[in-house]
Amino acid sequence: MQDSSATVEQLSDREIEVFRAVGEGRGTREIARTLFLSVKTVETHRAHIKEKLQLKTAPELVRAAVEWVNGEANL
């Protein structure tokens, strides 16, 4: 799924905010509302996060985000 070059450090500050919110169980609309972004912008951030972290599916993104928020992953 991921290799050593896929780390959270390569995400932008905004992508980290979105990644953290995903890991906290928030949906796209809630993230958009709380970060004052459009739903489309949040979806774009999610796509960029998946690409940078070499994740293929939305469930992989959610799993990685939850693990990161819980401090269980070495991303």
Side-chain angles (χ1 to χ4, degrees), residues 44-55:
T44 299
H45 284 309
R46 288 174 59 114
H48 290 162
I49 293 165
K50 286 191 330 187
E51 185 177 311
K52 288 180 179 181
L53 298 183
Q54 300 173 3
L55 303 169

Side-chain angles (χ1 to χ4, degrees), residues 5-63:
S5 67
T7 63
V8 172
E9 287 77 31
Q10 64 193 86
L11 301 179
S12 71
D13 291 343
R14 184 60 97 179
E15 288 167 346
I16 289 174
E17 288 180 300
V18 171
F19 192 59
R20 178 176 288 115
V22 169
E24 292 170 349
R26 297 186 198 170
T28 301
R29 288 183 183 171
E30 182 181 357
I31 295 168
R33 188 174 60 252
T34 59
L35 297 180
F36 304 101
L37 301 170
S38 73
V39 169
K40 180 66 177 164
T41 299
V42 174
E43 290 170 349
T44 299
H45 284 309
R46 288 174 59 114
H48 290 162
I49 293 165
K50 286 191 330 187
E51 185 177 311
K52 288 180 179 181
L53 298 183
Q54 300 173 3
L55 303 169
K56 291 182 174 74
T57 66
E60 284 181 357
L61 171 64
V62 172
R63 188 177 317 111

